[in-house]
Amino acid sequence: MRDAITSLIKTYDITGRYLDRDAVDSLKAYFATGAARVQAASIINGNAASIVKQAGSRLFDEVPELIRAGGNAYTTRRYAACLRDLDYYLRYASYALVAGNTNVLDERVLLGLRETYNSLGVPIGPTVRSIQILKEVVKEEFASAGFSDVGLIDEPFEYLARELAEKNI
Ligand SMILES: CCC1=C(C)/C(=C/C2=NC(=C\c3[nH]c(/C=C4\NC(=O)[C@H](C)[C@H]4CC)c(C)c3CCC(=O)O)/C(CCC(=O)O)=C2C)NC1=O
């Protein structure tokens, strides 16, 4: 698992270079957003249950067939599995936010996920949509906590949604 700093150092170490101007610029950008990232994790931690609940109900409002007979989230067990997956996405997105790097998402979330979903018939399209809804709900939580730097929230959610949508089996 890598963060913004370890991944930068790795890149420079491979070629035996000192940290040049580009490296220093990206380190500065990371540290300049550090406090905001930590605060982001704290807001997510304090509101995780309600964020997941809201995202789930918006998803099922938008795609009601998921929870009708024959839908993938139909039955209490599968409904609960769906919300649990949303909780995983939220928790790992909060790690990636603090790390300033999406590597944790590759290693802990995305690896093998499409294959698992395909074998269980979990539909990818609505799952991608659910990740976008999570992002929207998180951004609303941030705005209502008086937090202005909401732009940095996008990255881990967009990464998850994009990778899940595009990755070939
Ligand atoms: C931390 C990384 C991690 C992830 C991401 C993860 C996902 C994950 N989701 C699963 C199931 C599932 N995932 C869903 C999710 C959904 N169904 C829908 O219709 C919706 C679109 C969507 C919710 C948004 C459902 C319903 C199941 C159960 C499917 C089944 O057993 O039939 C399974 C199969 C095993 C199980 O049921 O626990 C895995 C591994 N597990 C992990 O360890």
Side-chain angles (χ1 to χ4, degrees):
M1 198 198 303
R2 293 199 301 274
D3 58 35
I5 297 172
T6 53
S7 105
L8 183 84
I9 290 173
K10 189 179 176 203
T11 305
Y12 279 75
D13 186 34
I14 285 169
T15 48
R17 285 180 293 156
Y18 282 95
L19 298 172
D20 59 16
R21 195 187 173 134
D22 287 346
V24 168
D25 284 347
S26 72
L27 285 170
K28 277 187 186 156
Y30 176 65
F31 286 116
T33 54
R37 292 173 187 282
V38 171
Q39 203 180 339
S42 159
I43 293 172
I44 290 176
N45 170 58
N47 299 281
S50 99
I51 293 168
V52 166
K53 202 174 152 208
Q54 277 187 65
S57 63
R58 281 189 207 179
L59 174 72
F60 300 131
D61 282 348
E62 264 185 46
V63 196
E65 51 278 20
L66 292 172
I67 49 171
R68 293 199 188 119
N72 186 261
Y74 176 69
T75 77
T76 321
R77 182 189 67 80
R78 289 202 299 261
Y79 184 94
C82 180
L83 293 189
R84 183 219 46 204
D85 284 8
L86 290 179
D87 191 59
Y88 283 150
Y89 295 134
L90 182 63
R91 181 161 59 88
Y92 281 95
S94 80
Y95 297 163
L97 267 173
V98 171
N101 193 286
T102 51
N103 178 256
V104 65
L105 304 177
D106 288 326
E107 285 186 1
R108 303 289 159 91
V109 182
L110 291 162
L111 193 71
L113 185 61
R114 266 191 82 105
E115 294 80 346
T116 303
Y117 277 175
N118 286 334
S119 71
L120 291 169
V122 177
I124 303 287
T127 303
V128 168
R129 178 64 194 132
S130 76
I131 295 168
Q132 285 156 349
I133 294 173
L134 262 183
K135 178 187 77 179
E136 288 157 19
V137 175
V138 167
K139 289 175 87 162
E140 288 165 21
E141 290 289 333
F142 276 58
S144 67
F147 192 76
S148 56
D149 201 357
V150 290
L152 99 164
I153 308 302
D154 292 348
E155 192 188 11
F157 295 100
E158 280 174 6
Y159 186 82
L160 279 172
R162 195 170 58 236
E163 289 295 305
L164 192 58
E166 286 178 2
K167 218 165 223 166
N168 291 321
I169 306 163

